[in-house]
Amino acid sequence: DIFSTGVVLYELLANRKPFQADTLTATVVKLLREDPPSLDEVAPGLPAQLVNAVTKSLAKEPAGRYNTAGEMAKELQWIRQALQSADPGTNVLDETRYASPTQP
């Protein structure tokens, strides 16, 4: 689901879990009641568009998240393309792999 994908992206980008606590119960309480620490504070230097995409995927209310995984994938692909267009000499994202959304 979108939220779980957001959690994984947060962990990959920040090198830490978005909801950290000493016990499972405390972790669940944080997950239900608190927003994770701001990604741009935990991992400074990330592109704002990427931070916004991850933040949107971690919205507490499902209505605040992407409607579908395909919509999220398109947004992440757009961010990748925009970053490469902004600095064509950068090869940092060349190794990014993603699946193309399939149409039912």
Side-chain angles (χ1 to χ4, degrees), residues 51-94:
V51 170
N52 293 337
V54 174
T55 300
K56 181 175 180 173
S57 69
L58 291 174
K60 295 291 182 204
E61 295 297 322
R65 298 181 207 140
Y66 294 96
N67 292 319
T68 66
E71 181 183 323
M72 184 177 182
K74 286 180 184 177
E75 178 77 7
L76 292 172
Q77 290 170 14
W78 177 86
I79 291 167
R80 180 176 181 255
Q81 291 169 352
L83 292 172
Q84 286 180 325
S85 294
D87 190 0
T90 301
N91 295 328
V92 174
L93 300 176
D94 282 350

Side-chain angles (χ1 to χ4, degrees), residues 4-18 39 42-43 46 50 54 58 76 96-97:
S4 298
T5 302
V7 168
V8 171
L9 285 173
Y10 188 102
E11 286 186 50
L12 289 170
L13 295 167
N15 199 29
R16 60 159 287 183
K17 296 179 185 303
L39 187 55
V42 176
L46 292 174
L50 185 56
V54 174
L58 291 174
L76 292 172
T96 302
R97 303 286 188 249

